[in-house]
């Protein structure tokens, strides 16, 4: 949500910021509503003063036995006028909020201009892409050889874009989640959280998924919603709260299932496990002092990079352009892992983590603030989120980067203790 005071004081700057988001917004229309609201508020104050004066006068006249009937009529009139003005303010405030809640966050100045992902800015890459003596398979082919990536049964049970993991691949998914959580907890001072997977509507409004992106979500018959990411419950821990500045930053991490309808998804990214309705993800959320949020974004990226580096998975970091930054974010870095089996064995980079600084955008929607106990100053928090990592896509990366010519898959060294000592996933029994 945007600060109306900023729009009021810097209307041209506001329009410029929205144009970077591809929106032609006229601040005059917003300010016209704001001016009407403030005008009615001034009228209310004037009438309240008249009402208070009349009440005092009635008291004096009653004490000397004078007639106060005309003054009482005035009080009734004031009451009616106040009620009508209050209704007008409520309606206009709703109109104003309906406009503001649909507008995306402002972008940082250093976010590159661009319309699509092809204008994203390369930051760096890491690791060596594996070389194969054979044409590398994608994870779907590998899963079929191993007989443990079961799309057929997933579809039978739940429909398209669901998968059943079996045997060693089910263990690999669990191993990855545990490894990621252990790394974040031991090296980066996180607090682990096990949040609800179903949330109320206002939680999704606070983080920016509602009302704009309702089609991408699953909701229940009692109008609650399945989480699209643990960002939603983790960030809402501080909703409608005023936290002590001294306890900042708060750093939360959680492993949860994520549920997405993927209403607009199409094309090559829907093959196999790339884009599922349900998937597991380790999510990181930072709650910070505004002065520290840019530094915390760098830390967030490092947390995600560390997982990929320990798994020895090659990747690159991209700074998203203006047309590719998400609704709630003001700046985002994507980590894209190398998948050699994609693009018919030619390989391709695929997003495995997005790390975003949302500034005070979500905090304003959630009414999440902090207080400096020394100065007594209260201000909105800054929120950040990032994947650390998407577990399913990390599994895909391991299957494709560590594949062997016979269809077996080596296990990265750091995962062997989590895999009951297994160093290689072999071809499963054909009767499984």
């Amino acid at each position: 949500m945007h600060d109306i005071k900023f729009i009021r004081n810097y209307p041209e700057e506001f329009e410029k910021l929205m144009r970077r988001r591809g929106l032609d917004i006229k601040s005059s229309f917003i300010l016209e509503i704001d001016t009407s609201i403030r005008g009615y508020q001034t009228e209310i104050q004037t009438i309240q003063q008249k009402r208070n004066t009349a009440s005092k006068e009635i008291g004096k006249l009653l004490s000397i036995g004078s007639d106060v009937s005309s003054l009482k009529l005035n009080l009734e009139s004031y009451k009616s006028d106040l009620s009508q003005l209050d209704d007008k303010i409520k309606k206009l405030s709703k109109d104003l909020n309906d406009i503001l809640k649909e507008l995306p966050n402002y972008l940082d100045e250093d976010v590159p201009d661009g319309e699509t992902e092809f204008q994203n800015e390369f930051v760096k890459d890491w690791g060596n892409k594996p070389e194969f003596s054979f044409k590398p398979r994608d994870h779907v082919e590998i899963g079929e050889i191993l007989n443990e990536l079961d799309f057929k049964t997933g579809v039978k049970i739940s429909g398209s874009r669901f998968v059943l993991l079996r045997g060693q691949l089910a263990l690999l998914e669990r191993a990855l989640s545990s490894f990621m959580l252990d790394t974040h907890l031991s090296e980066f001072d996180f607090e682990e959280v096990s949040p609800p997977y179903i949330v109320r509507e206002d939680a999704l409004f606070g983080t920016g998924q509602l009302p704009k992106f309702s089609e991408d979500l699953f909701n229940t018959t009692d109008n609650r919603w399945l989480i699209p990411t643990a960002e939603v419950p983790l960030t809402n821990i501080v909703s409608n709260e005023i936290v002590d500045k001294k306890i900042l930053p708060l750093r939360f991490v959680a492993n949860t299932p994520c549920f997405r309808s993927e209403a607009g998804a199409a094309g090559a990214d829907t093959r196999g496990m790339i884009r599922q309705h349900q998937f597991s993800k380790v999510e990181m959320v930072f709650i910070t002092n505004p002065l520290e949020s840019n530094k915390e974004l760098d830390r967030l990226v490092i947390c995600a990079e560390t997982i990929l580096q320990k798994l020895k998975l090659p990747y690159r970091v991209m700074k998203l352009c203006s047309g590719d930054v998400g609704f709630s974010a003001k700046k985002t870095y994507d980590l894209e892992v190398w998948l050699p089996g994609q693009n018919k064995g030619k390989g391709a980079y695929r997003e495995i983590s997005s790390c975003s600084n949302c500034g005070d955008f979500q905090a304003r929607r959630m009414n999440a603030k902090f207080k400096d106990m020394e100065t007594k100053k209260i201000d909105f928090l800054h929120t950040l989120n990032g994947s650390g990592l998407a577990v399913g896509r990390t599994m895909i990366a391991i299957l494709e980067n560590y594949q062997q010519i016979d269809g077996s898959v080596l296990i990265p060294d750091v995962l062997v203790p989590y895999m009951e000592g297994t160093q290689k996933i072999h071809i499963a029994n054909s009767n499984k």
Side-chain angles (χ1 to χ4, degrees):
M1 191 71 78
H2 293 290
D3 183 3
I4 189 61
K5 292 181 181 178
F6 177 85
I7 302 173
R8 193 184 298 154
N9 294 329
Y10 307 100
E12 293 180 358
E13 179 67 14
F14 167 75
E15 291 179 359
K16 178 182 175 182
L17 291 168
M18 287 296 100
R19 280 197 296 272
R20 291 200 70 202
R21 282 292 200 166
L23 299 175
D24 184 18
I25 303 296
K26 300 300 181 185
S27 59
S28 57
F29 177 68
I30 294 173
L31 293 177
E32 184 178 329
I33 300 174
D34 176 56
T35 300
S36 295
I37 292 172
R38 291 194 292 155
Y40 289 138
Q41 288 171 336
T42 300
E43 286 187 49
I44 284 178
Q45 292 175 351
T46 301
I47 294 172
Q48 286 174 334
Q49 289 174 353
K50 291 180 178 179
R51 183 188 60 184
N52 293 339
T53 300
S55 296
K56 291 178 181 178
E57 186 65 24
I58 287 173
K60 292 179 181 177
L61 292 174
L62 285 174
S63 67
I64 60 176
S66 298
D67 180 28
V68 295
S69 57
S70 61
L71 287 176
K72 285 186 175 181
L73 287 175
N74 286 341
L75 284 181
E76 290 298 320
S77 176
Y78 294 151
K79 182 179 179 181
S80 176
D81 290 344
L82 288 171
S83 178
Q84 291 178 28
L85 288 169
D86 187 56
D87 288 342
K88 289 179 180 180
I89 289 174
K90 286 179 179 177
K91 181 184 181 304
L92 288 173
S93 295
K94 182 181 183 303
D95 292 342
L96 181 60
N97 285 333
D98 285 346
I99 295 171
L100 296 180
K101 71 185 181 184
E102 295 283 348
L103 300 179
N105 199 357
Y106 305 136
L107 297 173
D108 271 3
E109 290 183 1
D110 66 336
V111 171
D113 289 323
E115 296 181 3
T116 70
E117 62 184 281
F118 300 106
Q119 282 81 52
N120 291 342
E121 182 180 292
F122 173 81
V123 177
K124 70 173 185 178
D125 57 14
W126 183 93
N128 298 314
K129 298 174 183 176
E131 297 182 1
F132 300 94
S133 61
F134 57 95
K135 182 180 179 180
R137 309 173 183 91
D138 74 358
H139 68 284
V140 177
E141 295 175 88
I142 298 168
E144 289 173 349
I145 293 172
L146 297 175
N147 200 28
E148 293 186 340
L149 196 59
D150 192 345
F151 291 101
K152 183 178 179 180
T153 303
V155 170
K156 180 182 74 173
I157 295 170
S158 301
S160 62
R161 298 194 196 170
F162 288 91
V163 66
L164 190 78
L165 300 176
R166 311 179 71 151
Q168 293 294 289
L169 291 190
L171 176 58
L172 178 58
E173 181 184 50
R174 176 157 53 93
L176 281 167
S177 299
S178 297
F179 161 69
M180 291 175 188
L181 286 172
D182 286 350
T183 301
H184 291 312
L185 292 171
S186 64
E187 298 190 18
F188 296 110
D189 194 29
F190 280 90
E191 176 186 352
E192 184 176 0
V193 179
S194 180
Y197 304 157
I198 299 176
V199 295
R200 294 165 51 177
E201 188 172 295
D202 56 354
L204 283 157
F205 174 81
T207 47
Q209 283 83 7
L210 288 179
K212 194 173 182 65
F213 304 104
S214 60
E215 289 187 358
D216 293 329
L217 307 171
F218 290 107
N219 69 314
T220 66
T221 55
D222 62 353
N223 203 33
R224 288 182 290 178
W225 302 76
L226 304 184
I227 60 169
T229 164
E231 170 200 344
V232 178
L234 293 181
T235 310
N236 273 277
I237 289 174
V238 294
S239 65
N240 297 306
E241 299 284 345
I242 300 177
V243 302
D244 188 344
K245 178 182 176 182
K246 291 181 180 178
I247 70 171
L248 298 175
L250 300 172
R251 301 190 181 106
F252 302 128
V253 65
N255 173 47
T256 69
C258 304
F259 306 92
R260 300 182 185 179
S261 70
E262 299 290 359
D269 273 356
T270 61
R271 175 170 166 79
M273 288 179 61
I274 291 287
R275 201 174 292 278
Q276 295 275 284
H277 288 313
Q278 175 188 318
F279 58 93
S280 178
K281 182 153 68 81
V282 172
E283 183 75 4
M284 307 174 290
V285 165
F286 291 175
I287 311 294
T288 76
N289 181 325
L291 297 176
E292 303 294 323
S293 67
N294 286 330
K295 183 175 71 175
E296 289 295 296
L297 178 59
D298 294 336
R299 181 186 179 93
L300 198 66
V301 173
I302 290 172
C303 292
E305 284 188 272
T306 298
I307 301 297
L308 289 168
Q309 291 176 9
K310 286 179 178 290
L311 293 170
K312 298 181 180 178
L313 293 172
Y315 67 92
R316 67 184 184 185
V317 179
M318 306 292 289
K319 184 193 291 186
L320 299 197
C321 71
S322 57
D324 206 25
V325 175
F327 179 81
S328 296
K330 67 172 188 167
K331 183 177 181 179
T332 298
Y333 291 102
D334 268 8
L335 276 64
E336 299 178 346
V337 69
W338 176 250
L339 300 181
Q342 302 294 300
N343 195 23
K344 298 180 179 180
K346 297 179 182 178
Y349 283 102
R350 289 284 185 267
E351 176 201 332
I352 197 167
S353 174
S354 281
C355 297
S356 299
N357 184 357
C358 297
D360 64 2
F361 184 79
Q362 292 178 326
R364 288 183 180 278
R365 295 170 76 99
M366 296 187 305
N367 191 33
K369 301 178 181 180
F370 71 99
K371 183 176 183 178
D372 187 323
M373 295 303 178
E374 295 180 359
T375 64
K376 306 303 179 183
K377 182 180 178 181
I378 296 176
D379 204 352
F380 286 101
L381 293 157
H382 276 201
T383 62
L384 303 91
N385 64 79
S387 311
L389 303 164
V391 177
R393 291 197 178 189
T394 309
M395 179 186 294
I396 291 171
I398 290 172
L399 293 179
E400 295 194 11
N401 282 277
Y402 283 85
Q403 63 180 294
Q404 306 298 298
I405 193 168
D406 64 352
S408 62
V409 177
L410 297 178
I411 300 298
D413 293 341
V414 292
L415 288 183
V416 171
Y418 295 91
M419 290 288 293
E420 301 174 350
T422 299
Q423 296 180 325
K424 181 189 285 190
I425 299 177
H426 296 276
I427 298 173
N429 293 330
S430 59
N431 63 350
K432 183 172 281 188

